[in-house]
Amino acid sequence: MSSQMSTIFTATRNPCRMCTPLGAVMVFSGIADAVPFLHGSQGCSTYIRRYLIGHFREPVDIACSNFSESSVIFGGWQNLQAGIQTIIEQYHPQLIGIATTCLAETIGEDLPQMIRRLQNELPESGPILVSVSTPSYQGSHTDGFRRAVKAVVEKLAQDGPAGRHINVFSGMISPEDIRHLKDIFMDFGLDAMILPDYSDAFDSGIWSRYEKNIESGTAIESIRRCGQAQASIEFGSVGDASASAGDALLRRFGTPLYELAFPIGVRLNDIFFERLRMLSGCEVPSRYVGQRSRLIDSYVDAHKYVFGKKTVLYGPADWVAALAVFLDEIGMIPVLCAAADCTGKLKEYLAEHLGPDKAERIAVIEDTDFASIEEKAAALRPDILIGDSNGYKISRNLRVPLVRLGLPIHDRIGASRITALGYRGTQQLFDRIVNALLETQQDNSPVGYTRL
């Protein structure tokens, strides 16, 4: 046996990411009068529904072309036709967002051509069909999210007289963070379109009976005005630039684009609020000046509990990058930054924002899995983990606390209401980190204590 043949191949073990079309489903669910549709097997829609329902604790509707054995052999055109017709009859949507799955991509379905054909067959008053390619063997759920936002913008954005409104491509954030951003823009007097806005679809009030609930979300007319905005703000500093909706608008309409890191911590929020001050021509409202001051005061109060604590971060690269800057700001040490996606830019970003010396001491891995994270984390002996619920096993094995952030959070209640953005969101995140460390100290103390 040759040495090459005897090389041990290790497959991905518990990947640190979810299926690519999951991100596309979230985007289409955040558009008013839109229905997400998966072109592929029924199991894919069931998997995504399970994850989203477990995280948001809300019903999630996802249509599917339900491939059978014959669809795999002869193609899924007839299933797609029948599925779209059923959705039109039952939901009467203005837009149907169609994402591909691995199976449809593997057998070579030409979805863009199918969509053009279907759109031509529909009456002029029929729904707009938007398609996006999202095979899960190519990218992560965050990649699917960005591609879907770009696909929607490319399909709907129109040219016209320049307006004062702005576009906000906020990335994959919680419903509570979406609501918080809307408050911030309103207080600055900015007419902001957030795409997508699933703050109601994934965190609605109580219902007396089941509702289809597709009315809430970003209005299609607002998306049409994308190309006329005074500027676009896009969160995400290390994501795939080729899937950037803001870049697409910049190239097509010349709409200025400001790419910002997720506003977590004082440093990154100051950059975000300064940008809003410039776009609005208004000074920072006093409520946010107060939130910033209280956040810094809490840093002073709790610095002795967090300083020097070693942290393992994992999740989407954009989130990991922003969190690393925040942890450095409060004196914690991100010893391991593990990204679910593969951007190739995370290490460079950390060197630029933390300094080359600090960045050199951080272990950075991209496109990784939880088995690899646990192996590296065990050697680094962290004090705390920050990431989604899938890191619980590592937390338990290493006997260190886990601060849950991101998606999925399926072993706790309230994922929709977790906030981390803005000075207020950072305050809540900072308090959660400090209290998790204190609780662990109390639990491990041989004598116990009731006062700090």
Side-chain angles (χ1 to χ4, degrees):
M1 182 180 294
S2 71
S3 58
Q4 186 176 5
M5 292 180 65
S6 63
T7 301
I8 297 173
F9 170 74
T10 303
T12 298
R13 298 160 294 172
N14 194 8
C16 186
R17 63 185 185 189
M18 288 173 290
C19 279
T20 313
L22 182 146
V25 166
M26 290 182 66
V27 172
F28 297 136
S29 299
I31 298 173
D33 289 321
V35 174
F37 189 107
L38 292 186
H39 187 47
S41 60
Q42 189 176 21
C44 297
S45 62
T46 303
Y47 159 83
I48 291 174
R49 266 199 300 269
R50 175 186 176 276
Y51 260 90
L52 294 181
I53 291 171
H55 179 83
F56 292 111
R57 311 283 167 175
E58 297 286 359
V60 177
D61 286 351
I62 305 173
C64 184
S65 52
N66 293 346
F67 273 27
S68 61
E69 290 87 346
S70 61
S71 312
V72 177
I73 297 169
F74 301 110
W77 165 247
Q78 291 183 342
N79 292 50
L80 182 66
Q81 263 187 317
I84 294 294
Q85 190 58 43
T86 302
I87 293 302
I88 292 172
E89 292 172 1
Q90 294 192 1
Y91 286 79
H92 312 291
Q94 288 190 52
L95 184 147
I96 302 175
I98 303 127
T100 54
T101 65
C102 297
L103 181 54
E105 294 281 352
T106 301
I107 65 173
E109 292 279 270
D110 186 355
L111 187 62
Q113 181 272 335
M114 292 177 173
I115 295 303
R116 284 195 296 274
R117 184 176 166 188
L118 267 175
Q119 192 79 71
N120 290 335
E121 292 178 357
L122 292 175
E124 199 167 312
S125 59
I128 304 160
L129 306 180
V130 178
S131 68
V132 59
S133 173
T134 51
S136 282
Y137 46 75
Q138 191 178 69
S140 67
H141 55 299
T142 50
D143 293 312
F145 191 100
R146 288 171 66 90
R147 288 178 207 163
V149 173
K150 182 183 179 186
V152 170
V153 166
E154 287 183 328
K155 181 79 174 187
L156 296 179
Q158 297 176 351
D159 202 357
R164 296 295 301 164
H165 58 286
I166 63 171
N167 309 316
V168 180
F169 306 117
S170 57
M172 193 178 287
I173 61 178
S174 74
E176 185 64 26
D177 274 330
I178 293 176
R179 286 190 282 265
H180 185 40
L181 287 178
K182 287 196 283 191
D183 288 343
I184 292 173
F185 294 128
M186 186 183 302
D187 289 339
F188 271 96
L190 284 166
D191 176 8
M193 179 216 65
I194 299 180
L195 178 66
D197 177 6
Y198 43 75
S199 56
D200 284 334
F202 288 156
D203 192 24
S204 64
I206 190 71
W207 298 346
S208 58
R209 59 181 176 81
Y210 179 74
E211 298 178 17
K212 292 175 181 171
N213 192 31
I214 64 169
E215 292 81 9
S216 63
T218 310
I220 290 176
E221 283 309 309
S222 298
I223 304 173
R224 292 190 196 278
R225 296 193 303 148
C226 271
Q228 306 157 36
Q230 65 159 317
S232 301
I233 292 176
E234 188 162 25
F235 290 150
S237 44
V238 296
D240 178 9
S242 67
S244 163
D247 185 65
L249 290 175
L250 172 64
R251 292 172 182 273
R252 185 172 166 191
F253 301 107
T255 310
L257 169 63
Y258 301 105
E259 292 179 293
L260 303 177
F262 284 113
I264 306 172
V266 172
R267 202 184 317 172
L268 296 181
N269 268 298
D270 284 353
I271 296 171
F272 172 53
F273 276 83
E274 174 60 17
R275 181 57 58 193
L276 297 188
R277 189 189 69 77
M278 292 178 63
L279 290 172
S280 67
C282 300
E283 292 303 313
V284 177
S286 59
R287 66 186 296 192
Y288 301 107
V289 175
Q291 289 176 6
R292 183 182 187 277
S293 180
R294 287 190 292 275
L295 176 60
I296 294 174
D297 184 59
S298 70
Y299 284 5
V300 175
D301 293 341
H303 78 279
K304 57 187 175 183
Y305 306 120
V306 299
F307 184 79
K309 297 297 184 185
K310 296 190 293 184
T311 311
V312 167
L313 296 171
Y314 59 89
D318 284 327
W319 272 98
V320 169
L323 286 168
V325 174
F326 162 62
L327 292 181
D328 179 66
E329 175 178 286
I330 61 176
M332 296 179 71
I333 305 170
V335 291
L336 173 59
C337 290
D341 33 359
C342 183
T343 68
K345 296 185 284 188
L346 183 55
K347 198 168 186 65
E348 181 183 346
Y349 178 89
L350 296 176
E352 180 182 348
H353 290 79
L354 306 186
D357 292 341
K358 287 182 180 177
E360 194 61 35
R361 293 193 290 271
I362 300 173
V364 177
I365 48 177
E366 298 191 42
D367 192 19
T368 188
D369 58 33
F370 281 100
S372 301
I373 294 173
E374 182 163 10
E375 289 170 3
K376 289 191 174 292
L380 293 166
R381 301 173 65 83
D383 297 292
I384 191 169
L385 274 62
I386 301 177
D388 59 62
S389 289
N390 287 328
Y392 172 70
K393 178 172 171 287
I394 303 175
S395 163
R396 182 181 173 89
N397 290 343
L398 300 182
R399 301 176 68 83
V400 296
L402 167 64
V403 172
R404 289 165 176 79
L405 189 67
L407 187 153
I409 297 176
H410 44 214
D411 62 342
R412 291 290 186 276
I413 291 293
S416 297
R417 296 176 289 282
I418 290 176
T419 178
L421 304 187
Y423 299 116
R424 193 190 76 181
T426 304
Q427 182 71 77
Q428 294 189 16
L429 176 61
F430 179 72
D431 291 346
R432 291 173 62 210
I433 292 172
V434 175
N435 288 330
L437 289 166
L438 290 175
E439 186 174 348
T440 302
Q441 285 182 20
Q442 278 184 310
D443 291 345
N444 295 333
S445 168
V447 295
Y449 52 88
T450 57
R451 284 179 179 271
L452 297 175

